[in-house]
Amino acid sequence: NYAGGFCYMNNIAIATRALQEEEGVTRVAILDFDVHHGNGTSDVFFLDETVLYISTHHWGIFPGTGHAESVGEGTGEGFNINIPFRGGMGDASFQDAVDRVVLPVVEQYDPKAVLVSLGSDGHYADPLGGLTMSSPGYVETYLTGHRLARDLGLGGATYFLEGGYDLDALSEVVWGVHEGFSGRSVEYGLTEVRDSTGEGSDIVDNVVRIHKDYWEL
């Protein structure tokens, strides 16, 4: 109900409602692994248990939303999951979040469609954010959506291009994900791993603590 952010229209929210209203899809999972909290997507579905929204993001930058305690309201309580990383966190922290939050929650939710917001602005080469994902680490994170959907019998996930402000990082991540759908690999140039120890494990611990009320974690 107001303009704010980087997008004129929220493509993934529009697609979700189209799936539900035109195709009768009962439950949709949206995975958002970029640097900004998807405040618009979160707001649209904040009261809605038919959409599971999971966001990893750099806490403290624009738009300033998406704290871990923001879990949804009403019938949507527990279906809005925020993993607000500090600057400098990257590959190992994202993998920890995938392993301990994303995989178990999505499997329990058992969605009938998986949609993924694919932005590369959490990359260490990106000029806007402060996260430190490498190209191969980011691709593996994004392919989580496809593999989950496949394992749930949905064939695969649907990806929506979003942020990414370094062209080399953007091209590597998008092409790597595209090729990963078929099990192929690409040669990456931006491979430095700046977070190999899981510096965000305390944040994932807190998210698990909060969402144990709603999911088996």
Side-chain angles (χ1 to χ4, degrees):
N1 62 352
Y2 64 93
F6 288 72
C7 305
Y8 288 104
M9 288 183 273
N10 191 321
N11 295 325
I12 206 164
I14 293 168
T16 296
R17 284 296 187 234
L19 281 171
Q20 293 181 320
E21 296 172 7
E22 298 173 19
E23 304 296 333
V25 175
T26 53
R27 294 185 302 280
V28 178
I30 298 176
L31 307 180
D32 184 352
F33 296 125
D34 58 16
V35 78
H36 297 107
H37 178 240
N39 57 314
T41 310
S42 176
D43 285 352
V44 168
F45 302 117
F46 205 66
L47 306 175
D48 190 346
E49 76 277 15
T50 71
V51 180
L52 170 69
Y53 177 66
I54 303 179
S55 174
T56 59
H57 46 273
H58 182 177
W59 175 251
I61 66 170
F62 182 89
T65 54
H67 55 83
E69 292 76 17
S70 180
V71 300
E73 293 180 2
T75 59
E77 185 175 343
F79 297 96
N80 191 86
I81 300 177
N82 293 299
I83 306 169
F85 285 131
R86 297 183 294 271
M89 297 177 180
D91 291 34
S93 296
F94 272 68
Q95 188 62 55
D96 190 26
V98 166
D99 290 341
R100 293 203 282 147
V101 179
V102 178
L103 291 175
V105 169
V106 175
E107 287 170 354
Q108 290 170 57
Y109 187 63
D110 190 23
K112 301 308 174 187
V114 176
L115 309 185
V116 183
S117 295
L118 199 175
S120 70
D121 45 10
H123 199 289
Y124 68 74
D126 197 273
L128 285 190
L131 298 179
T132 61
M133 293 294 286
S134 69
S135 292
Y138 226 160
V139 169
E140 281 301 303
T141 298
Y142 273 119
L143 286 175
T144 298
H146 177 68
R147 292 166 181 158
L148 269 169
R150 183 191 58 200
D151 292 346
L152 291 168
L154 304 175
T158 301
Y159 287 70
F160 295 75
L161 293 177
E162 296 198 359
Y165 309 98
D166 180 272
L167 292 181
D168 291 333
L170 178 63
S171 61
E172 286 194 351
V173 172
V174 173
W175 185 239
V177 170
H178 180 275
E179 294 300 276
F181 294 153
S182 302
R184 297 187 296 266
S185 60
V186 302
E187 288 191 21
Y188 300 105
L190 301 170
T191 60
E192 181 182 346
V193 176
R194 299 186 180 181
D195 174 12
S196 61
T197 60
E199 297 178 19
S201 62
D202 61 317
I203 292 170
V204 179
D205 287 342
N206 187 46
V207 173
V208 168
R209 178 187 61 78
I210 291 167
H211 282 276
K212 275 185 174 178
D213 290 342
Y214 312 105
W215 308 97
E216 293 182 12
L217 301 174

